[in-house]
Structures are given as C-alpha cells and as structure tokens.
Amino acid sequence: MVVDTLLRIIHMKQKTCLLLLFFLLAAGIVDAQNPLPKHQPDRQKRNQSDTSRSEVFVDGVKTPKRKYRNQEDHARFGIKCYYNAPGPQIVQSVRSDYQNSGYVDIIGKSTVGPSLRIPLGRTFYLQTEALFGLYSDWEGAKREQGFWNQLTYSYSNRTSSYMWVPVYVGVRWAPIKVFAVRGFVGPRLNFLISSESMSFVKDHYTLMAGGGLDLLRIFSIEMGYQTDMSRFSPIVGSDGWFVAASLMF
C-alpha cells in the first residue's frame, strides 16, 4: 500500500513538472514573437530635429533653446581715412569735386590718421582717432595733373594743418566672426597746427554720430552725421556728413 501511494505521488509530480515546462516554453515563444523595445527613444533628439519648436526636452524636462551670444572682439589698431561732404549724397559730392578740380577738393575735404578701438565686453566699445588734414594753396594745386602731383603740391605748399580727435562710444552686433554691424556717437575735439605750435579750438567742438560695417575682421566702412556745437547748442550751417574706410588689425 505504501509503495503504491509513493508511486502515485511521483507520477503526479511528473505531470506537474511537465505542465510547468510546457507553460514556460509557450511563454518564451510568445515573447520572442513580440519583443519589447530595449530602450525608449531619446526625446531630446526628436525635439532637436524639429526646428519649428522653441523648446527642447532634456531628461523629460522642457527647457528653452540656447539664445544667441554676440561674438567677442579684441582691441584693434588701424588706419582710417575720412571724406567730409555737405550732404548725405556722398557719391554725387565726390563726382562733383572731381569734375570741378580733379582731386584737389577731395584732398582738401579728407583726413587720415590712426584709429584705436577697445571693446567693453561683448556689445559696447570705445574708439578714438587722430585725424590730420591740410590747409593749402588749392588754386595752385589745381594746375597740377594727376592725383600724386596734386597731393604732393598740396602738402609741400600747405599753409597750416589741423588735427581732429573724435572719441566714440559705440555698440556692436556680430552674428558671425567675419561680419559686424556698429553704431556710435561721441564728441570730436579740434586742434589747429601751425609751423611752430598746436592750439586747441576752444569756441566749439563737434558732435558726431553714425553707423558702420566690419567685414572679414579687417575692413571697416562707416557713414555718419556731424555738426559743430557751442556748449549744448548746434551752430547753424556747420552740419555735414562723412564717410570713412579703414583697415583694422
């Protein structure tokens, strides 16, 4: 009797083990036919590919996109040349001066000198210059032929010289390193240079304002407005325009 009972129990356990083995095999087959993804897609990559959205997801948290930063600049030294005109029609003024006197009037309205620009952070900058011009025998220079001969005669027969020292405060926006847009404003101090001394023009100063473009981190072009000031009042009839080009290093 005891032996028969043990055989029945062993037989029942074998059936139970076979059933459990059957269910495990069936579950494995179903799992192989329908595998679960090993990892969830990166939400950040999906959102970065959608350029129309203004936010991205980092670890499931919505954050704004990184904003633009103005490109840095360094202190620059260069040579600048100004041409002064009575109105904003600069091209017409140069053409008229050339037709009337060759290069003489252009030389008489031009100044040239060194320029220094110092950045104040990423946006603001300070710029100062020392610009030199001539007073000369312009009628005699008109009788000469060619730019070099007229310039040499004007310099050799100068009656006196002058120096302008503008001091600008400006703002600069540079979306890329090789291009920048600038705006500036500031006073200009005027000096008269004779053969023996240099004197400061005390009765007035000049207020200047304008804008410019920097190209390839070397070339600079500017255009602006200027007027003489007596304290805080503009002097009637003293206003004019200017255009400038420079090489900055």
Side-chain angles (χ1 to χ4, degrees):
M1 294 291 294
V2 175
V3 176
D4 293 337
T5 304
L6 291 174
L7 291 175
R8 290 176 183 177
I9 293 173
I10 294 171
H11 186 66
M12 291 176 63
K13 288 185 176 181
Q14 288 178 350
K15 290 182 177 180
T16 303
C17 292
L18 290 174
L19 289 173
L20 290 174
L21 181 61
F22 174 80
F23 284 118
L24 288 175
L25 290 175
I29 294 171
V30 172
D31 182 72
Q33 292 178 350
N34 300 281
L36 292 175
K38 294 182 180 180
H39 64 276
Q40 296 294 328
D42 190 346
R43 299 184 68 185
Q44 181 180 356
K45 292 182 179 179
R46 292 204 309 268
N47 284 276
Q48 286 178 345
S49 64
D50 185 5
T51 57
S52 64
R53 295 185 181 181
S54 59
E55 296 87 13
V56 297
F57 287 87
V58 180
D59 297 330
V61 179
K62 184 185 293 186
T63 59
K65 283 185 177 179
R66 182 182 178 183
K67 293 184 178 179
Y68 162 80
R69 292 189 69 185
N70 200 0
Q71 297 291 328
E72 286 185 327
D73 199 11
H74 58 82
R76 297 180 177 275
F77 180 81
I79 300 296
K80 178 173 287 190
C81 180
Y82 275 80
Y83 172 78
N84 299 276
Q89 295 81 17
I90 303 295
V91 176
Q92 295 180 9
S93 179
V94 172
R95 184 182 303 168
S96 177
D97 288 343
Y98 179 77
Q99 292 174 351
N100 292 335
S101 62
Y103 298 99
V104 174
D105 287 345
I106 297 175
I107 295 170
K109 294 179 180 179
S110 299
T111 56
V112 63
S115 175
L116 175 63
R117 186 190 305 167
I118 302 173
L120 305 174
R122 290 180 178 268
T123 303
F124 298 96
Y125 68 90
L126 180 68
Q127 182 166 321
T128 184
E129 300 160 359
L131 307 170
F132 295 89
L134 302 175
Y135 295 115
S136 184
D137 177 16
W138 303 121
E139 292 300 323
K142 291 178 182 179
R143 294 191 289 268
E144 301 293 326
Q145 299 295 322
F147 172 77
W148 183 251
N149 292 332
Q150 291 180 338
L151 178 61
T152 302
Y153 182 93
S154 299
Y155 183 79
S156 301
N157 295 273
R158 65 188 184 280
T159 56
S160 62
S161 306
Y162 60 90
M163 180 177 68
W164 291 344
V165 183
V167 180
Y168 302 135
V169 175
V171 294
R172 173 180 170 274
W173 179 67
I176 55 177
K177 291 184 178 181
V178 297
F179 174 80
V181 180
R182 296 183 291 106
F184 57 87
V185 64
R188 188 189 76 200
L189 306 180
N190 306 311
F191 298 85
L192 181 63
I193 304 173
S194 64
S195 58
E196 298 179 353
S197 63
M198 181 175 65
S199 59
F200 173 58
V201 180
K202 299 179 180 179
D203 58 343
H204 70 272
Y205 66 95
T206 305
L207 184 63
M208 308 178 71
L213 297 175
D214 292 340
L215 304 173
L216 303 177
R217 300 177 68 88
I218 298 177
F219 303 102
S220 180
I221 303 173
E222 297 174 352
M223 182 176 179
Y225 173 82
Q226 58 188 358
T227 183
D228 292 340
M229 303 286 292
S230 177
R231 293 188 177 181
F232 300 104
S233 301
I235 299 176
V236 178
S238 65
D239 58 330
W241 292 76
F242 65 87
V243 63
S246 59
L247 294 176
M248 304 294 290
F249 303 97

Coordinates of all heavy atoms in Angstrom, one line a residue, residues 13-81:
K13 N 3.7 14.4 -9.5 CA 4.7 15.5 -9.6 C 5.3 15.5 -11.0 O 5.6 16.6 -11.5 CB 5.8 15.2 -8.6 CG 5.3 15.5 -7.1 CD 6.5 15.3 -6.2 CE 6.1 15.7 -4.8 NZ 7.2 15.5 -3.8
Q14 N 5.4 14.4 -11.6 CA 6.0 14.4 -13.0 C 5.0 15.1 -14.0 O 5.4 15.9 -14.8 CB 6.2 13.0 -13.5 CG 7.4 12.3 -12.8 CD 7.5 10.9 -13.3 OE1 6.6 10.3 -14.0 NE2 8.7 10.2 -12.9
K15 N 3.7 14.9 -13.8 CA 2.7 15.6 -14.6 C 2.8 17.1 -14.4 O 2.7 18.0 -15.3 CB 1.3 15.1 -14.4 CG 1.1 13.7 -14.9 CD -0.4 13.3 -14.6 CE -0.7 11.9 -15.2 NZ -2.1 11.5 -15.0
T16 N 2.9 17.5 -13.0 CA 3.0 18.9 -12.7 C 4.2 19.6 -13.3 O 4.2 20.7 -13.9 CB 3.0 19.1 -11.2 OG1 1.9 18.5 -10.6 CG2 3.1 20.6 -10.8
C17 N 5.4 18.9 -13.3 CA 6.6 19.5 -13.9 C 6.5 19.6 -15.4 O 6.9 20.6 -16.0 CB 7.8 18.6 -13.5 SG 8.2 18.6 -11.7
L18 N 5.8 18.6 -16.0 CA 5.7 18.7 -17.4 C 4.8 19.9 -17.8 O 5.0 20.6 -18.8 CB 5.1 17.4 -18.0 CG 6.0 16.2 -17.9 CD1 5.2 14.9 -18.3 CD2 7.2 16.4 -18.9
L19 N 3.7 20.1 -17.0 CA 2.8 21.2 -17.3 C 3.5 22.6 -17.1 O 3.4 23.5 -18.0 CB 1.6 21.2 -16.4 CG 0.6 20.1 -16.7 CD1 -0.5 20.0 -15.6 CD2 -0.1 20.3 -18.0
L20 N 4.3 22.7 -16.0 CA 5.1 23.9 -15.8 C 6.1 24.1 -17.0 O 6.3 25.3 -17.4 CB 5.8 23.8 -14.5 CG 5.0 23.9 -13.2 CD1 5.8 23.7 -12.0 CD2 4.3 25.3 -13.2
L21 N 6.8 23.1 -17.4 CA 7.7 23.2 -18.5 C 7.0 23.6 -19.8 O 7.5 24.5 -20.6 CB 8.4 21.9 -18.7 CG 9.5 21.9 -19.8 CD1 10.6 22.9 -19.5 CD2 10.1 20.4 -19.9
F22 N 5.8 23.1 -20.0 CA 5.0 23.5 -21.2 C 4.7 25.0 -21.2 O 4.8 25.7 -22.2 CB 3.8 22.6 -21.3 CG 2.8 23.0 -22.4 CD1 3.0 22.6 -23.7 CD2 1.7 23.8 -22.1 CE1 2.2 23.0 -24.7 CE2 0.9 24.2 -23.2 CZ 1.1 23.8 -24.5
F23 N 4.2 25.5 -20.1 CA 3.8 26.9 -20.0 C 5.1 27.8 -20.1 O 5.0 28.9 -20.8 CB 3.1 27.2 -18.7 CG 1.7 26.7 -18.6 CD1 1.3 25.7 -17.7 CD2 0.8 27.2 -19.5 CE1 0.0 25.3 -17.7 CE2 -0.6 26.8 -19.5 CZ -1.0 25.8 -18.6
L24 N 6.2 27.4 -19.6 CA 7.4 28.2 -19.8 C 7.8 28.3 -21.2 O 8.2 29.4 -21.7 CB 8.5 27.6 -18.9 CG 8.4 27.8 -17.4 CD1 9.5 27.0 -16.7 CD2 8.4 29.3 -17.0
L25 N 7.8 27.1 -21.9 CA 8.1 27.2 -23.3 C 7.2 28.0 -24.2 O 7.6 28.7 -25.1 CB 8.1 25.7 -23.9 CG 9.3 24.8 -23.3 CD1 9.1 23.4 -23.8 CD2 10.6 25.3 -23.8
A26 N 5.9 27.9 -23.8 CA 4.9 28.7 -24.6 C 5.1 30.2 -24.4 O 5.0 31.0 -25.3 CB 3.5 28.3 -24.1
A27 N 5.4 30.6 -23.1 CA 5.7 32.0 -22.8 C 6.9 32.5 -23.5 O 6.9 33.6 -24.0 CB 5.8 32.2 -21.3
G28 N 7.9 31.7 -23.6 CA 9.1 32.1 -24.4 C 8.9 32.3 -25.8 O 9.4 33.2 -26.5
I29 N 8.0 31.4 -26.4 CA 7.7 31.6 -27.9 C 6.9 32.9 -28.1 O 7.2 33.6 -29.0 CB 6.9 30.4 -28.4 CG1 7.8 29.1 -28.3 CG2 6.4 30.6 -29.8 CD1 7.0 27.8 -28.6
V30 N 6.0 33.2 -27.3 CA 5.2 34.4 -27.4 C 6.1 35.7 -27.2 O 6.0 36.7 -28.0 CB 4.0 34.5 -26.4 CG1 3.3 35.8 -26.4 CG2 3.0 33.3 -26.7
D31 N 7.0 35.6 -26.3 CA 7.9 36.7 -26.0 C 8.8 37.0 -27.2 O 9.2 38.1 -27.6 CB 8.7 36.5 -24.8 CG 9.6 37.6 -24.4 OD1 9.1 38.7 -24.0 OD2 10.8 37.5 -24.6
A32 N 9.3 35.9 -27.8 CA 10.1 36.0 -29.0 C 9.4 36.6 -30.2 O 10.0 37.3 -31.0 CB 10.7 34.6 -29.4
Q33 N 8.1 36.3 -30.3 CA 7.4 36.9 -31.4 C 7.0 38.3 -31.2 O 6.8 39.1 -32.2 CB 6.1 36.0 -31.7 CG 6.4 34.6 -32.2 CD 5.1 33.8 -32.3 OE1 4.0 34.3 -31.9 NE2 5.2 32.7 -32.9
N34 N 6.9 38.8 -30.0 CA 6.5 40.2 -29.6 C 7.5 40.8 -28.7 O 7.3 41.0 -27.5 CB 5.1 40.2 -29.0 CG 4.1 39.7 -29.9 OD1 3.6 40.3 -30.9 ND2 3.7 38.4 -29.7
P35 N 8.8 41.1 -29.1 CA 9.8 41.6 -28.2 C 9.5 43.0 -27.8 O 8.9 43.8 -28.5 CB 11.1 41.6 -29.1 CG 10.6 41.7 -30.5 CD 9.3 41.0 -30.5
L36 N 9.8 43.4 -26.6 CA 9.7 44.7 -26.1 C 10.9 45.6 -26.5 O 12.0 45.0 -26.6 CB 9.6 44.7 -24.5 CG 8.3 44.1 -24.0 CD1 8.4 44.0 -22.4 CD2 7.0 44.9 -24.4
P37 N 10.7 46.9 -26.7 CA 11.9 47.7 -27.0 C 12.9 47.7 -25.9 O 12.5 47.8 -24.7 CB 11.3 49.1 -27.3 CG 10.0 49.1 -26.6 CD 9.5 47.6 -26.6
K38 N 14.2 47.7 -26.2 CA 15.2 47.7 -25.2 C 15.3 49.0 -24.5 O 15.7 49.1 -23.3 CB 16.5 47.3 -25.8 CG 16.5 45.9 -26.3 CD 17.9 45.5 -26.9 CE 17.9 44.1 -27.4 NZ 19.3 43.7 -27.9
H39 N 15.1 50.1 -25.2 CA 15.1 51.5 -24.5 C 14.2 52.4 -25.2 O 13.8 52.2 -26.4 CB 16.6 52.0 -24.6 CG 17.0 52.3 -26.0 ND1 17.5 51.3 -26.8 CD2 17.0 53.4 -26.8 CE1 17.8 51.8 -28.0 NE2 17.5 53.1 -28.0
Q40 N 13.8 53.4 -24.5 CA 12.9 54.4 -25.1 C 13.7 55.4 -26.0 O 14.8 55.7 -25.7 CB 12.2 55.2 -24.0 CG 11.3 54.4 -23.1 CD 10.1 53.9 -23.9 OE1 9.6 54.5 -24.8 NE2 9.6 52.7 -23.5
P41 N 13.0 55.9 -27.1 CA 13.7 56.8 -27.9 C 14.1 58.1 -27.1 O 13.4 58.5 -26.2 CB 12.7 57.1 -29.0 CG 11.8 56.0 -29.0 CD 11.7 55.5 -27.6
D42 N 15.2 58.7 -27.6 CA 15.7 59.9 -26.9 C 14.8 61.1 -27.3 O 14.8 61.5 -28.4 CB 17.1 60.2 -27.3 CG 17.8 61.3 -26.5 OD1 17.0 62.0 -25.8 OD2 19.0 61.5 -26.5
R43 N 14.0 61.6 -26.3 CA 13.1 62.7 -26.6 C 13.8 64.0 -27.0 O 13.3 64.8 -27.8 CB 12.2 63.0 -25.4 CG 11.4 61.7 -24.9 CD 10.5 62.1 -23.8 NE 9.5 63.0 -24.2 CZ 8.6 63.5 -23.4 NH1 8.6 63.2 -22.1 NH2 7.7 64.4 -23.8
Q44 N 15.0 64.1 -26.4 CA 15.8 65.3 -26.8 C 16.1 65.3 -28.3 O 16.0 66.4 -29.0 CB 17.1 65.4 -26.0 CG 17.9 66.6 -26.2 CD 19.2 66.7 -25.4 OE1 19.3 65.8 -24.6 NE2 20.0 67.7 -25.6
K45 N 16.6 64.2 -28.8 CA 16.9 64.1 -30.2 C 15.7 64.4 -31.1 O 15.8 65.0 -32.1 CB 17.5 62.8 -30.6 CG 18.9 62.5 -29.9 CD 19.4 61.2 -30.3 CE 20.8 61.0 -29.7 NZ 21.4 59.7 -30.1
R46 N 14.5 63.8 -30.7 CA 13.3 64.1 -31.5 C 13.0 65.6 -31.5 O 12.6 66.1 -32.6 CB 12.2 63.3 -30.9 CG 12.3 61.8 -31.1 CD 10.9 61.1 -31.1 NE 10.1 61.5 -29.9 CZ 10.1 60.9 -28.8 NH1 10.8 59.8 -28.6 NH2 9.3 61.3 -27.8
N47 N 13.1 66.2 -30.4 CA 12.8 67.6 -30.4 C 13.8 68.5 -31.1 O 13.4 69.5 -31.6 CB 12.6 68.0 -28.9 CG 11.3 67.5 -28.3 OD1 10.3 68.2 -28.5 ND2 11.3 66.4 -27.7
Q48 N 15.1 68.1 -31.0 CA 16.1 68.9 -31.7 C 15.9 68.8 -33.2 O 16.3 69.8 -33.9 CB 17.5 68.4 -31.3 CG 17.9 68.8 -29.9 CD 19.2 68.3 -29.5 OE1 19.8 67.4 -30.2 NE2 19.8 68.8 -28.5
S49 N 15.4 67.7 -33.7 CA 15.2 67.6 -35.2 C 14.0 68.5 -35.6 O 13.9 68.8 -36.8 CB 14.9 66.1 -35.6 OG 13.7 65.7 -34.9
D50 N 13.1 68.9 -34.7 CA 12.0 69.7 -35.1 C 12.4 71.2 -34.9 O 12.3 71.7 -33.8 CB 10.8 69.4 -34.2 CG 9.6 70.1 -34.6 OD1 9.6 70.8 -35.6 OD2 8.5 70.0 -33.9
T51 N 12.9 71.8 -35.9 CA 13.4 73.2 -35.8 C 12.3 74.2 -35.6 O 12.6 75.4 -35.4 CB 14.2 73.5 -37.1 OG1 13.3 73.4 -38.2 CG2 15.4 72.6 -37.2
S52 N 11.0 73.8 -35.8 CA 9.9 74.8 -35.6 C 9.6 75.0 -34.2 O 8.9 75.9 -33.9 CB 8.7 74.3 -36.4 OG 8.2 73.1 -35.8
R53 N 10.1 74.2 -33.2 CA 9.8 74.3 -31.8 C 10.9 75.2 -31.2 O 12.0 75.3 -31.6 CB 9.8 73.0 -31.1 CG 8.7 72.1 -31.6 CD 8.6 70.8 -30.8 NE 7.6 69.9 -31.3 CZ 7.3 68.7 -30.8 NH1 8.0 68.3 -29.7 NH2 6.3 68.0 -31.2
S54 N 10.5 75.9 -30.1 CA 11.3 76.8 -29.4 C 11.9 76.2 -28.1 O 12.6 76.9 -27.4 CB 10.6 78.2 -29.1 OG 9.5 77.9 -28.3
E55 N 11.5 75.0 -27.8 CA 11.9 74.3 -26.6 C 12.5 72.9 -27.0 O 12.1 72.4 -28.0 CB 10.8 74.2 -25.5 CG 10.3 75.5 -25.0 CD 9.2 76.0 -25.8 OE1 8.7 75.2 -26.7 OE2 8.8 77.2 -25.7
V56 N 13.3 72.4 -26.1 CA 13.8 71.1 -26.2 C 13.6 70.4 -24.9 O 13.3 71.0 -23.9 CB 15.3 71.0 -26.6 CG1 15.6 71.7 -27.9 CG2 16.1 71.7 -25.5
F57 N 13.7 69.0 -25.0 CA 13.5 68.2 -23.8 C 14.8 67.6 -23.4 O 15.5 67.0 -24.2 CB 12.4 67.1 -24.0 CG 11.0 67.6 -24.1 CD1 10.5 68.1 -25.3 CD2 10.2 67.6 -23.0 CE1 9.2 68.5 -25.4 CE2 8.9 68.1 -23.1 CZ 8.4 68.5 -24.2
V58 N 15.2 67.8 -22.2 CA 16.4 67.2 -21.6 C 16.0 66.4 -20.4 O 15.5 67.0 -19.4 CB 17.4 68.3 -21.2 CG1 18.7 67.7 -20.6 CG2 17.8 69.2 -22.4
D59 N 16.1 65.1 -20.5 CA 15.7 64.2 -19.4 C 14.2 64.4 -19.1 O 13.8 64.4 -17.9 CB 16.5 64.4 -18.2 CG 18.0 64.0 -18.4 OD1 18.2 63.1 -19.3 OD2 18.9 64.6 -17.8
G60 N 13.4 64.6 -20.1 CA 12.0 64.8 -19.9 C 11.6 66.1 -19.4 O 10.4 66.3 -19.1
V61 N 12.5 67.1 -19.2 CA 12.2 68.4 -18.7 C 12.3 69.4 -19.8 O 13.3 69.5 -20.6 CB 13.1 68.8 -17.6 CG1 12.8 70.2 -17.0 CG2 13.0 67.8 -16.4
K62 N 11.2 70.2 -20.0 CA 11.2 71.2 -21.1 C 12.1 72.4 -20.7 O 11.9 73.0 -19.7 CB 9.8 71.7 -21.3 CG 9.7 72.7 -22.5 CD 8.3 73.2 -22.7 CE 7.3 72.1 -23.1 NZ 5.9 72.7 -23.3
T63 N 13.0 72.8 -21.6 CA 13.9 73.9 -21.4 C 14.0 74.7 -22.7 O 13.9 74.2 -23.8 CB 15.3 73.4 -21.0 OG1 15.9 72.6 -22.1 CG2 15.3 72.6 -19.7
P64 N 14.2 76.0 -22.6 CA 14.3 76.9 -23.8 C 15.6 76.6 -24.5 O 16.6 76.2 -23.9 CB 14.2 78.3 -23.2 CG 14.7 78.2 -21.8 CD 14.2 76.8 -21.3
K65 N 15.6 76.9 -25.8 CA 16.8 76.7 -26.6 C 17.8 77.8 -26.2 O 17.5 78.8 -25.7 CB 16.5 76.9 -28.1 CG 15.8 75.7 -28.7 CD 15.7 75.9 -30.2 CE 15.1 74.7 -30.9 NZ 15.0 74.9 -32.4
R66 N 19.1 77.5 -26.4 CA 20.1 78.4 -26.1 C 20.1 79.7 -26.9 O 20.0 79.6 -28.2 CB 21.5 77.8 -26.3 CG 22.7 78.7 -25.9 CD 24.0 77.9 -26.1 NE 25.1 78.8 -25.8 CZ 26.4 78.4 -26.0 NH1 26.6 77.2 -26.5 NH2 27.4 79.2 -25.7
K67 N 20.1 80.8 -26.3 CA 20.0 82.1 -27.1 C 21.3 82.5 -27.7 O 22.4 82.0 -27.3 CB 19.5 83.2 -26.1 CG 18.1 83.0 -25.6 CD 17.6 84.2 -24.8 CE 16.2 84.0 -24.3 NZ 15.7 85.1 -23.5
Y68 N 21.2 83.3 -28.7 CA 22.4 83.8 -29.4 C 23.3 84.6 -28.5 O 22.8 85.4 -27.7 CB 22.0 84.6 -30.6 CG 23.1 85.5 -31.2 CD1 24.0 85.0 -32.0 CD2 23.2 86.8 -30.8 CE1 25.1 85.7 -32.5 CE2 24.2 87.6 -31.3 CZ 25.1 87.1 -32.1 OH 26.1 87.8 -32.6
R69 N 24.6 84.5 -28.7 CA 25.6 85.3 -28.0 C 26.4 86.0 -29.0 O 26.9 85.5 -30.0 CB 26.5 84.4 -27.1 CG 25.8 83.7 -26.0 CD 26.8 83.0 -25.1 NE 27.6 84.0 -24.4 CZ 28.7 83.7 -23.6 NH1 29.0 82.5 -23.4 NH2 29.3 84.7 -22.9
N70 N 26.6 87.3 -28.7 CA 27.4 88.2 -29.6 C 28.8 87.7 -29.6 O 29.4 87.3 -28.6 CB 27.3 89.6 -29.0 CG 27.7 90.7 -30.1 OD1 28.0 90.3 -31.2 ND2 27.6 91.9 -29.7
Q71 N 29.4 87.8 -30.8 CA 30.8 87.3 -31.0 C 31.8 88.3 -30.3 O 31.6 89.5 -30.4 CB 31.2 87.2 -32.5 CG 30.3 86.2 -33.2 CD 30.7 84.8 -32.8 OE1 31.8 84.5 -32.5 NE2 29.7 83.9 -32.8
E72 N 32.8 87.7 -29.6 CA 33.7 88.6 -28.9 C 34.7 89.3 -29.9 O 34.9 88.8 -31.1 CB 34.6 87.7 -28.0 CG 33.8 87.3 -26.7 CD 34.8 86.6 -25.8 OE1 35.7 85.9 -26.2 OE2 34.5 86.7 -24.6
D73 N 35.2 90.4 -29.5 CA 36.2 91.1 -30.3 C 37.4 91.4 -29.4 O 37.3 91.3 -28.2 CB 35.6 92.4 -30.8 CG 36.3 93.0 -32.0 OD1 37.2 92.3 -32.5 OD2 36.1 94.1 -32.4
H74 N 38.5 91.9 -30.0 CA 39.7 92.3 -29.3 C 40.1 93.7 -29.6 O 39.5 94.3 -30.6 CB 40.8 91.3 -29.6 CG 41.2 91.2 -31.0 ND1 42.0 92.1 -31.7 CD2 40.8 90.3 -32.0 CE1 42.1 91.8 -32.9 NE2 41.4 90.7 -33.2
A75 N 41.0 94.3 -28.9 CA 41.4 95.6 -29.2 C 42.0 95.7 -30.6 O 42.8 94.8 -31.0 CB 42.4 96.1 -28.1
R76 N 41.7 96.7 -31.3 CA 42.1 96.9 -32.7 C 42.8 98.2 -32.9 O 42.3 99.2 -32.4 CB 40.9 96.7 -33.7 CG 40.3 95.3 -33.6 CD 39.1 95.3 -34.6 NE 38.5 93.9 -34.6 CZ 39.0 92.9 -35.3 NH1 40.0 93.1 -36.1 NH2 38.4 91.8 -35.3
F77 N 43.8 98.2 -33.8 CA 44.5 99.4 -34.2 C 44.6 99.4 -35.7 O 44.8 98.4 -36.3 CB 45.9 99.4 -33.6 CG 46.7 100.6 -34.0 CD1 46.6 101.8 -33.3 CD2 47.6 100.6 -35.1 CE1 47.3 102.9 -33.7 CE2 48.3 101.7 -35.5 CZ 48.2 102.9 -34.8
G78 N 44.3 100.6 -36.3 CA 44.3 100.6 -37.7 C 44.5 102.1 -38.3 O 44.8 103.0 -37.5
I79 N 44.4 102.2 -39.6 CA 44.5 103.4 -40.3 C 43.1 103.8 -40.9 O 42.5 102.9 -41.6 CB 45.6 103.4 -41.4 CG1 46.9 103.1 -40.7 CG2 45.6 104.7 -42.2 CD1 47.4 104.1 -39.8
K80 N 42.7 105.0 -40.7 CA 41.3 105.4 -41.2 C 41.4 106.6 -42.1 O 42.2 107.5 -41.8 CB 40.4 105.7 -40.0 CG 39.0 106.1 -40.4 CD 38.1 106.2 -39.3 CE 37.7 104.8 -38.8 NZ 36.6 104.9 -37.8
C81 N 40.6 106.7 -43.1 CA 40.5 107.8 -44.0 C 39.1 108.3 -44.0 O 38.2 107.5 -44.3 CB 41.0 107.5 -45.4 SG 41.0 108.8 -46.6

